[in-house]
Amino acid sequence: MTQQPLRGVTSLRFNQDQSCFCCAMETGVRIYNVEPLMEKGHLDHEQVGSMGLVEMLHRCNLLALVGGGSSPKFSEISAVLIWDDAREGKDSKDKLVLEFTFTKPVLAVRMRHDKIVIVLRNRIYVYSFPDSPRKLFEFDTRDNPKGLCDLCPSLEKQLLVFPGHKCGSLQLVDLASTKPGTSSAPFTINAHQSDVACVSLNQPGTVVASASQKGTLIRLFDTQSKEKLVELRRGTDPATLYCINFSHDSSFLCASSDKGTVHIFALKDTRLNRRSALARVGKVGPMIGQYVDSQWSLASFTVPAESACICAFGRNTSKNVNSVIAICVDGTFHKYVFTPDGNCNREAFDVYLDICDDDDF
């Protein structure tokens, strides 16, 4: 997720299991542990210049960097640099072990243990990674100015999802069964009537969630059968969704938007979600029928509306208490705990940009 800098933050990303997050900044890169919140390391401006994007690979020593901001050091926004922090060397260039260069700006990077995915506005490239990278796939996409894409981190499933050619559609590609160098037609899901604005896979890659530019509904589909599983209503007013994330066991889903509200939905037991009061009235007209049938969030909390944020689930401390973490570009960290009956309370607030190093990265 990228936004105009507030306190110098240009983009925020969780790692694959949401145990860490990385922060691309005008002043370099900062890496944080989520629970407990602490800075695990940073690359300063002298080392890397200003950064546009940064992507972690689990908790390992490799980072994907894309220059950006007002004073990038290494290259323009059309290259992905792989930084190996474990590599010895006095000069920062000694730690740059790979470079992927393109003719157009890089909008997103996704990594798994054996592959790296690089997203341009109309094309997605997949390379083997990290040893002797070679290009495996190239996919043309619909105009994708946000660089939307998600990659399943699971060892069992190598699923890639991105906007399809048709407006509102999603393309799913199983990278394990698609032959390198071929452009076999990916599976398509017609998810929305307007353009897709946000997309996310659950950890095992069995469910994909998406929202359109309208941002009122989140739809979930089975990645195997392509059938719609459930429709969740964020609200009635249009909104820009910043982030959708599943809990680790896919029991819940959270979503953040420019309304400054983080919504939490139940997936395993959808009876926990709120329903419209009209649903209890009985028959209604076809126009509001869909609205009445929608499932509303079981809990929600607010963060500063003017500050974009990413959200994810914390580690469960007990069976009936779950938590959601929201990380905002204004430098704030919010942790809320919620119970299945919809109670939601703030447990922690911090300013992560004011936290100093715990140890070397």
Side-chain angles (χ1 to χ4, degrees):
M1 185 210 68
T2 59
Q3 187 178 307
Q4 290 302 308
L6 277 171
R7 287 204 65 179
V9 176
T10 51
S11 73
L12 290 167
R13 283 281 299 165
F14 285 107
N15 69 343
Q16 287 77 4
D17 67 357
Q18 290 106 44
S19 64
C20 293
F21 68 96
C22 48
C23 191
M25 304 182 68
E26 284 285 342
T27 53
V29 171
R30 292 175 79 164
I31 308 287
Y32 295 88
N33 188 70
V34 173
E35 292 181 291
L37 178 64
M38 62 175 73
E39 185 180 307
K40 296 302 290 180
H42 64 261
L43 308 177
D44 61 31
H45 191 272
E46 197 175 278
Q47 291 173 285
V48 295
S50 59
M51 277 289 131
L53 301 170
V54 58
E55 183 80 4
M56 299 176 70
L57 179 59
H58 298 285
R59 301 177 76 97
C60 84
N61 48 293
L62 298 179
L63 290 175
L65 308 175
V66 179
S70 58
S71 53
K73 179 174 180 178
F74 296 116
S75 63
E76 291 305 308
I77 53 176
S78 53
V80 177
L81 305 168
I82 304 301
W83 176 280
D84 184 351
D85 208 72
R87 195 159 175 142
E88 295 295 323
K90 291 180 181 176
D91 186 45
S92 56
K93 288 194 174 176
D94 295 331
K95 292 180 182 281
L96 293 172
V97 292
L98 289 172
E99 182 172 352
F100 301 87
T101 310
F102 304 90
T103 55
K104 292 182 179 169
V106 173
L107 301 178
V109 181
R110 299 290 181 265
M111 291 192 287
R112 49 177 285 132
H113 71 283
D114 58 354
K115 290 180 179 66
I116 184 169
V117 176
I118 298 166
V119 186
L120 311 187
R121 186 158 180 156
N122 294 98
R123 190 162 289 181
I124 291 178
Y125 295 90
V126 182
Y127 295 86
S128 60
F129 183 80
D131 300 321
S132 309
R134 60 190 178 90
K135 187 168 75 174
L136 301 176
F137 307 102
E138 200 176 306
F139 302 106
D140 287 329
T141 67
R142 182 178 177 80
D143 187 44
N144 184 14
K146 286 184 170 181
L148 298 177
C149 165
D150 204 11
L151 178 65
C152 178
S154 165
L155 294 171
E156 288 77 42
K157 204 154 194 164
Q158 299 188 30
L159 198 63
L160 178 69
V161 61
F162 51 89
H165 285 285
K166 185 182 169 189
C167 180
S169 70
L170 299 172
Q171 286 197 0
L172 295 169
V173 185
D174 185 344
L175 299 175
S177 62
T178 308
K179 286 194 174 74
T182 64
S183 55
S184 62
F187 293 107
T188 302
I189 293 173
N190 293 316
H192 305 277
Q193 290 177 320
S194 54
D195 273 316
V196 175
C198 201
V199 65
S200 179
L201 289 163
N202 67 346
Q203 291 278 328
T206 54
V207 181
V208 60
S210 64
S212 73
Q213 285 181 344
K214 197 175 173 189
T216 52
L217 295 171
I218 298 167
R219 294 190 172 120
L220 278 71
F221 298 88
D222 184 303
T223 59
Q224 200 68 39
S225 69
K226 318 297 180 287
E227 288 178 10
K228 185 166 78 171
L229 299 173
V230 68
E231 186 172 280
L232 307 170
R233 181 168 285 278
R234 181 211 55 80
T236 52
D237 294 335
T240 300
L241 263 77
Y242 294 132
C243 180
I244 297 172
N245 249 324
F246 292 83
S247 63
H248 305 283
D249 64 356
S250 302
S251 292
F252 297 97
L253 177 142
C254 61
S256 62
S257 75
D258 63 351
K259 295 288 185 187
T261 307
V262 176
H263 290 275
I264 303 159
F265 299 89
L267 301 182
K268 199 172 183 180
D269 184 0
T270 55
R271 292 170 302 177
L272 297 173
N273 293 325
R274 293 181 300 117
R275 300 294 202 281
S276 166
L278 290 170
R280 295 190 290 271
V281 173
K283 283 193 173 182
V284 291
M287 284 302 287
I288 59 170
Q290 290 178 315
Y291 173 87
V292 166
D293 292 339
S294 293
Q295 300 187 27
W296 297 67
S297 59
L298 77 95
S300 64
F301 62 89
T302 57
V303 296
E306 66 281 0
S307 177
C309 83
I310 55 173
C311 55
F313 289 86
R315 297 292 171 188
N316 287 9
T317 48
S318 72
K319 192 177 180 183
N320 288 322
V321 180
N322 298 275
S323 62
V324 171
I325 312 286
I327 318 284
C328 300
V329 295
D330 67 356
T332 58
F333 171 97
H334 309 257
K335 180 180 179 181
Y336 279 76
V337 293
F338 70 95
T339 54
D341 60 1
N343 276 327
C344 189
N345 296 293
R346 187 162 85 176
E347 186 174 86
F349 171 84
D350 222 319
V351 180
Y352 62 85
L353 290 180
D354 292 344
I355 294 172
C356 295
D357 248 7
D358 166 53
D359 56 21
D360 290 333
F361 172 46

